[in-house]
Amino acid sequence: MNFPFSAIVGQEEMKRALLMAAVDPTIGGVLVFGDRGTGKSTAVRALAALLPEMEVVEGCRYHCDPADRDRSCSEACSARLGREELKISRISVPVVDLPLGATEDRIIGALDIEKALTLGEKSFEPGLLARANRGFLYIDEVNLLEDHLVDLLLDVAATGENVVEREGLSIRHPARFVLVGSGNPEEGELRPQLLDRFGLSVEVTTPKSIDERIEVIKRRDAFERNAQEFSARFAEDEAGNRQKIEKARAIRSHIMVSDSVLGKAAELCLALGTDGLRGELTLIRAARALAALEGCRELGVLHLQEVAASALRHRLRRDPLEEAGSTARIERALEEVFR
Amino acid sequence: MRDPSDGSVGPAEFDAEQAWDDALMAAALLAVDPKALGGVVVRSGAGPVRDLWLTACRAIFPNSVPFVRMPAQIGPERVLGGLDLAATLRHGRPVHQAGLLSQADGGVVVMPMAERLTAATIALMAAALDQGEVAIERDGISARSKARFGLIAFDESVSEAECISPAIGDRLAFHIDLVAVPLRCAQSRRGPNAATIAAARRLASGFESQSGEEDLIAGLIGASIALGIESLRVPLLALWAARAAAALRGETSIEHDDLQLAARLVLAPRATRFPEMPQDESDGRDQPQDRHEPQGPLQSDSHEHENSDDTSTKRDAAFEDVLLEAAAAALPRDLLAQLAQAASQSPRTSRSNGQSGPARRTRKRGRPIGVGRGELGSGDRLAIVDTLRAAAPWQRLRKAVKSSPIEDAEQAGQRRFSVRPDDFRFRRYAQRSESLNIFVVDASGSTALHRLGEAKGAVELLLADSYVRRDSVALIALRGRQAELVLPPTRALTRAKRSLAGLPGGGGTPLASGIDQAIGLALAARRRDQQPTIIILTDGAANVARDGGTGRRTGEDDALVAGRHVRSFHLSALLIDTGPRPSPFASRLAAEMNGRYFALPMADAKALSNIVKRASADA
């Protein structure tokens, strides 16, 4: 049983980023970097319980969306779509763990060895990327992931499609997922290409206030002693958070974004010298997701300011002689732009 | 607990007895609640004392509990489990073999040479300790299996540079040290017996929250902060340790004694600074102030430590004081020396990638980059599953082709799986041409601050520039009597920055000892297939000899001898003379090392990093 999301003490930026990613998958995932023992992986694993259900084509191994013909898998769905009535079922949004030590064949999928050995049949056994389609892919200790696996992920994340060419198989299937990674920066840096893949990046530290620390330990202790009882205590909060996500998803696309807010976002990115459009786009999307979570009808400047650090801190060009961290640089830029 | 001043034993003996009793107690508490407490880090080489401890430990766990030994060089396929080749071929279908961690479910994993674990294994262990299960996505297998175990990790490191990974250490409640325990002492003293522990185990499962628990937790957190312990896992582990201690006494509520025990076993070994607290030092432990000059923030603390006769200022948090006193009393005698070192490398992260491993065959080293064809017997590692996959589609065809009567008879008996040379697949590894730049920086004298600043700048520039290629840097500072490893080899920019900020200078120039340390690092790096370069920044005034004595003459002679060692190991070296005038000694030293010499009176970070980059490109 997972520790409930709503019971996590403090760490507001991390919780907010995860909720925003749940509201809008196009934000591009979340990277959580920080100290040991700050509940990084607890929070990500807890998110699964908050995610609403989604409609899938029944029996499809890639959980294709019955309403989205363009992205359905070639295996069965696109052939059947339109021609016959598809059965639809509902499943909870998958949160797939990519554990360390996972091998390439299990990630992208491979020849089904059992069938090959027993029946002499050549069939494809989907991997983790298939399972994560339309859901979340979580990599703990993402900075320790082997390079060849990172390359694989980068390719799939860029195209939204997994192409398997091995052992005489030639398969392609949709693989769109929200990438969530966590790690401790002291154990190594992340490859810049992978860093760039993450929409939001948050830094977590051990809480500074004693009261907060006490609460963390009390809750953790209570959970370890009786997980069921503890989770029941937070059931209502969990339901509240789930509803908040569902509502935000519904209103997200109706939120008004004024030109002046767009202008401010551009100005901010310019001031920080972030490369490319991706930063700006993520900034707007994240701010909109936040506005949706708060139930607002219009995107405000405050929303921008609140998400700026998460959306931009990993996109700043490194200046090793700059003493202040990237968060401080963003704060400075925020002050300049929103004075 | 015994009073050290009862006169029957000397302080050294008392320390040894205390250490042994603590070790037995840690084992007992772990046996009470292995799942919550995570395990024990035991600093000790292999030997009879350690064997005695492990035997005692085994005896207090129920017989049915598995004790699984896990070698440090283990690969992920054995940690997590994988395909059982023999069984798979025999049965003609994939047969899964459980990994060590799931075999240890409900029991204990014993890990010798834990400081040698690879980063990948460390992460696996940490995840399993957190979740109580292992997730397997390997070799066509997708499974989860329970893996709730306690971990006994033997830390056999001899130097600070290769200590056990903090990711593991953080999750294990107890850190004990058997290095100073003599065999006689270990043979004569026993800990709690199995029956007591069995009773405690039953009690521990039924703990209710007790009144005043919040104060207790606040005390643990306050004490952790005062001892400079950042991680929040630690006070939580201390709480659980105290609970196990209460259960061991046959109680279900925590008393002062339990807290003291927890403070001594869980908090004290992790202290990174002396607590600022009123103390009455009656146990006759005097800090060895003569050998090591306390540095930086420690100075005031230890001063306070010595003449602290005012015990009047009581704090509100009574628990915190109890805890701190217990923890402070348990701080080892040579803590000052240890702390000085720990502070210089804190947080103590060593990328413990087989820091002192023997040179292994390059075919099996480096980053795995997938699987490819190869020849059997070439020394490459066979990728079993991929081989089977390659062979599988052809089975029907192959069976049809070879149909001699003998084989038919054989096939009637059992299914045969035919693998041909063409099917063999091998794991491929990419050899990184990774480099390690070891900076030896003279932090003495008047220009020290400036030079140190530039060296820091250069280190950061190099790191920022090279982290894509995953090169690493290390920094040794020359100051006072001993050279000091300020930044162990790292490629993490964040960490380097943290270590480098606030690095003080001053004192003499122990060049010889600095070069010795650099050689040590360089040779270790070579064993990891890294390409080391030693970069020395000095104005050429070597005035401290190897033995710590002062004097220009011996200082220079020793430095030249050390320099010759650099040459004898064929290490690439670079000497940057930062003095206002080129010093003849510095250029002689460079010649002795067979290294290059640069006179750079106004060394600035950019120029420095450029020189180093060029030099390591040539190397």
Side-chain angles (χ1 to χ4, degrees):
Chain A
M1 179 177 268
N2 281 328
F3 193 84
F5 189 86
S6 319
I8 295 167
V9 182
Q11 313 293 15
E12 296 304 330
E13 194 192 357
M14 168 170 70
K15 287 194 281 190
R16 200 176 53 203
L18 289 172
L19 290 178
M20 291 190 301
V23 170
D24 182 1
T26 63
I27 288 176
V30 184
L31 175 68
V32 186
F33 250 25
D35 298 342
R36 263 178 280 286
T38 42
K40 300 182 289 279
S41 49
T42 306
V44 181
R45 298 211 164 94
L47 184 68
L50 296 185
L51 298 173
E53 293 191 327
M54 62 182 191
E55 289 192 338
V56 297
V57 175
E58 194 171 289
C60 176
R61 302 199 282 182
Y62 313 101
H63 351 103
C64 283
D65 186 352
D68 187 354
R69 237 173 256 207
D70 299 339
R71 286 182 193 156
S72 58
C73 66
S74 53
E75 207 165 86
C77 300
S78 44
R80 278 152 63 195
L81 267 174
R83 248 195 267 154
E84 52 182 300
E85 210 39 43
L86 285 178
K87 276 200 179 142
I88 293 172
S89 60
R90 292 177 74 81
I91 61 166
S92 46
V93 171
V95 176
V96 176
D97 232 313
L98 195 161
L100 281 153
T103 50
E104 196 178 312
D105 61 315
R106 281 303 308 141
I107 295 177
I108 63 173
L111 185 73
D112 185 330
I113 193 161
E114 172 126 35
K115 281 196 183 140
L117 285 180
T118 54
L119 308 172
E121 209 173 81
K122 202 165 92 177
S123 81
F124 177 65
E125 187 185 17
L128 295 175
L129 295 179
R131 219 189 287 164
N133 187 31
R134 300 182 61 213
F136 285 67
L137 185 69
Y138 174 47
I139 312 171
D140 193 10
E141 311 281 3
V142 62
N143 44 345
L144 298 182
L145 195 67
E146 286 159 4
D147 279 353
H148 71 290
L149 301 182
V150 171
D151 296 343
L152 261 171
L153 281 180
L154 285 176
D155 190 38
V156 176
T159 57
E161 190 177 45
N162 180 27
V163 180
V164 186
E165 294 289 349
R166 50 184 291 165
E167 295 137 5
L169 291 169
S170 182
I171 303 268
R172 47 183 60 213
H173 68 76
R176 285 171 195 282
F177 48 85
V178 177
L179 194 61
V180 180
S182 65
N184 181 340
E186 279 173 5
E187 274 148 22
E189 302 277 335
L190 212 59
R191 284 230 325 254
Q193 296 90 330
L194 186 56
L195 196 61
D196 192 50
R197 275 284 137 211
F198 289 99
L200 306 173
S201 139
V202 294
E203 287 169 2
V204 289
T205 53
T206 313
K208 291 281 168 272
S209 98
I210 303 264
D211 289 342
E212 216 170 282
R213 287 188 186 205
I214 292 175
E215 198 53 38
V216 170
I217 291 198
K218 266 172 64 183
R219 290 190 184 181
R220 192 79 226 180
D221 181 44
F223 175 75
E224 296 293 335
R225 254 190 294 175
N226 191 341
Q228 242 114 42
E229 192 185 284
F230 183 78
S231 301
R233 250 169 68 195
F234 286 90
E236 218 168 286
D237 295 349
E238 290 281 280
N241 269 325
R242 204 174 304 126
Q243 269 174 16
K244 213 161 97 176
I245 294 179
E246 270 178 66
K247 249 188 224 159
R249 282 191 173 191
I251 63 169
R252 170 176 59 98
S253 48
H254 307 300
I255 288 176
M256 310 241 290
V257 186
S258 68
D259 283 353
S260 79
V261 170
L262 284 176
K264 282 290 180 195
E267 217 178 303
L268 183 64
C269 291
L270 207 63
L272 285 163
T274 55
D275 299 331
L277 271 174
R278 213 203 290 263
E280 222 171 300
L281 212 56
T282 311
L283 182 63
I284 298 287
R285 282 180 180 158
R288 196 155 51 187
L290 180 67
L293 278 167
E294 290 177 356
C296 299
R297 290 277 157 197
E298 195 180 344
L299 188 62
V301 178
L302 272 176
H303 295 128
L304 275 189
Q305 281 170 291
E306 266 190 71
V307 302
S310 310
L312 299 175
R313 71 159 60 86
H314 55 301
R315 301 175 200 277
L316 303 190
R317 201 168 289 149
R318 266 162 192 269
D319 180 359
L321 295 184
E322 167 83 63
E323 273 307 310
S326 38
T327 310
R329 278 165 70 190
I330 291 175
E331 271 164 21
R332 268 201 318 251
L334 278 173
E335 249 170 61
E336 272 172 37
V337 174
F338 294 102
R339 209 173 6 202
Chain B
M1 300 307 113
R2 294 167 49 119
D3 178 8
S5 55
D6 65 0
S8 60
V9 287
E13 230 170 300
F14 171 75
D15 278 0
E17 286 179 1
Q18 182 78 70
W20 178 250
D21 289 351
D22 282 353
L24 291 176
M25 190 48 104
L29 295 176
L30 181 66
V32 171
D33 195 354
K35 192 180 141 268
L37 293 170
V40 192
V41 178
V42 185
R43 250 187 73 79
S44 161
V49 176
R50 193 176 95 177
D51 293 346
L52 266 178
W53 182 82
L54 193 57
T55 312
C57 208
R58 183 71 192 88
I60 54 176
F61 276 88
N63 272 335
S64 56
V65 160
F67 263 56
V68 178
R69 208 177 164 81
M70 177 166 147
Q73 307 301 348
I74 193 167
E77 66 279 2
R78 279 301 297 135
V79 179
L80 296 173
L83 207 67
D84 183 336
L85 181 64
T88 299
L89 289 183
R90 190 155 3 97
H91 298 296
R93 63 180 168 78
V95 177
H96 177 216
Q97 186 181 30
L100 268 181
L101 294 185
S102 37
Q103 280 169 10
D105 182 38
V108 174
V109 174
V110 180
M111 191 195 289
M113 283 195 277
E115 76 282 0
R116 299 264 311 263
L117 284 182
T118 61
T121 314
I122 289 167
L124 288 178
M125 299 295 296
L129 282 167
D130 282 355
Q131 289 163 264
E133 62 173 20
V134 286
I136 303 144
E137 296 289 349
R138 301 179 60 81
D139 299 350
I141 298 157
S142 170
R144 272 167 190 281
S145 59
K146 290 274 174 235
R148 294 151 301 182
F149 57 87
L151 176 63
I152 294 176
F154 290 116
D155 177 358
E156 303 177 20
S157 58
V158 284
S159 76
E160 287 287 312
E162 48 168 18
C163 63
I164 192 166
S165 151
I168 297 281
D170 195 46
R171 288 173 165 87
L172 308 187
F174 308 111
H175 291 201
I176 59 175
D177 193 336
L178 296 180
V179 173
V181 178
L183 183 59
R184 196 167 45 80
C185 164
Q187 281 165 334
S188 63
R189 304 173 72 85
R190 308 210 179 287
N193 62 28
T196 320
I197 287 163
R201 197 175 300 128
R202 284 190 293 275
L203 264 184
S205 56
F207 249 91
E208 292 297 311
S209 53
Q210 68 189 85
S211 61
E213 200 168 61
E214 190 147 330
D215 292 345
L216 215 132
I217 294 173
L220 284 167
I221 290 173
S224 301
I225 294 173
L227 290 164
I229 302 168
E230 263 297 304
S231 170
L232 266 180
R233 281 203 187 96
V234 177
L236 191 59
L237 288 171
L239 176 67
W240 290 336
R243 228 174 249 160
L248 210 50
R249 287 186 301 107
E251 299 288 335
T252 52
S253 71
I254 299 173
E255 302 278 336
H256 272 199
D257 280 357
D258 308 323
L259 282 179
Q260 281 177 332
L261 190 66
R264 211 172 64 233
L265 295 179
V266 182
L267 300 184
R270 292 175 156 96
T272 61
R273 63 167 180 251
F274 273 110
E276 288 177 35
M277 58 172 292
Q279 279 197 348
D280 37 1
E281 281 286 293
S282 58
D283 61 358
R285 290 157 183 246
D286 45 332
Q287 303 299 333
Q289 305 249 320
D290 46 332
R291 294 270 320 273
H292 290 270
E293 295 171 33
Q295 283 143 345
L298 288 174
Q299 200 150 16
S300 58
D301 288 356
S302 64
H303 188 66
E304 197 176 17
H305 202 242
E306 252 190 326
N307 39 351
S308 55
D309 43 3
D310 59 320
T311 47
S312 54
T313 46
K314 268 276 164 222
R315 298 206 185 169
D316 316 340
F319 283 125
E320 190 177 325
D321 282 355
V322 171
L323 287 161
L324 276 182
E325 258 169 51
L331 295 180
R333 294 155 166 276
D334 54 348
L335 186 72
L336 265 192
Q338 288 180 16
L339 286 186
Q341 245 192 330
S344 67
Q345 0 181 306
S346 81
R348 302 186 1 163
T349 322
S350 74
R351 296 183 49 84
S352 28
N353 265 333
Q355 296 261 355
S356 53
R360 275 182 282 170
R361 297 188 50 181
T362 52
R363 282 227 162 85
K364 296 169 190 167
R365 297 228 36 188
R367 289 176 294 123
I369 51 161
V371 172
R373 286 179 191 219
E375 254 173 70
L376 207 56
S378 59
D380 290 341
R381 212 144 142 196
L382 190 63
I384 294 160
V385 180
D386 299 278
T387 303
L388 291 181
R389 278 218 181 87
W394 303 100
Q395 291 309 308
R396 267 192 201 163
L397 207 60
R398 285 177 189 169
K399 269 177 199 154
V401 170
K402 52 170 182 180
S403 51
S404 73
I406 310 159
E407 275 172 0
D408 279 345
E410 259 181 26
Q411 273 171 14
Q414 64 186 123
R415 299 177 73 108
R416 281 268 162 159
F417 189 78
S418 122
V419 177
R420 303 206 172 159
D422 207 31
D423 301 328
F424 287 119
R425 297 288 184 276
F426 297 89
R427 294 200 193 288
R428 282 210 193 130
Y429 296 89
Q431 202 56 50
R432 284 179 210 154
S433 59
E434 194 184 70
S435 73
L436 169 66
N437 290 315
I438 304 165
F439 284 83
V440 179
V441 180
D442 186 348
S444 70
S446 53
T447 55
L449 269 184
H450 175 67
R451 198 160 40 219
L452 209 53
E454 298 305 349
K456 285 184 202 173
V459 167
E460 289 180 8
L461 270 178
L462 276 174
L463 266 182
D465 187 71
S466 67
Y467 82 119
V468 185
R469 287 182 323 218
R470 306 213 164 168
D471 293 347
S472 41
V473 300
L475 178 66
I476 294 168
L478 307 175
R479 57 175 182 202
R481 297 197 189 141
Q482 282 280 316
E484 194 186 311
L485 179 61
V486 175
L487 179 68
T490 181
R491 62 171 72 110
L493 191 61
T494 333
R495 182 166 167 235
K497 272 191 153 167
R498 218 182 274 182
S499 282
L500 294 181
L503 174 69
T509 307
L511 194 51
S513 118
I515 296 176
D516 287 348
Q517 287 200 25
I519 292 174
L521 282 183
L523 293 181
R526 238 188 217 171
R527 283 195 292 269
R528 292 193 302 264
D529 299 326
Q530 287 177 323
Q531 180 64 246
T533 307
I534 299 174
I535 302 123
I536 303 173
L537 270 81
T538 178
D539 59 2
N543 55 15
V544 179
R546 270 200 177 126
D547 57 9
T550 46
R552 190 150 204 143
R553 189 74 219 213
T554 48
E556 289 188 352
D557 284 351
D558 281 1
L560 290 175
V561 172
R564 273 194 284 280
H565 279 146
V566 173
R567 167 154 60 183
S568 70
F569 289 118
H570 303 286
L571 292 167
S572 95
L574 193 65
L575 193 142
I576 297 170
D577 189 343
T578 52
R581 263 168 265 106
S583 122
F585 167 73
S587 63
R588 217 181 117 205
L589 179 60
E592 287 290 352
M593 295 192 297
N594 200 16
R596 262 173 288 185
Y597 172 84
F598 293 90
L600 201 67
M602 301 303 285
D604 72 284
K606 279 236 162 67
L608 212 54
S609 75
N610 281 335
I611 290 180
V612 173
K613 255 186 268 173
R614 240 180 299 146
S616 48
D618 295 352

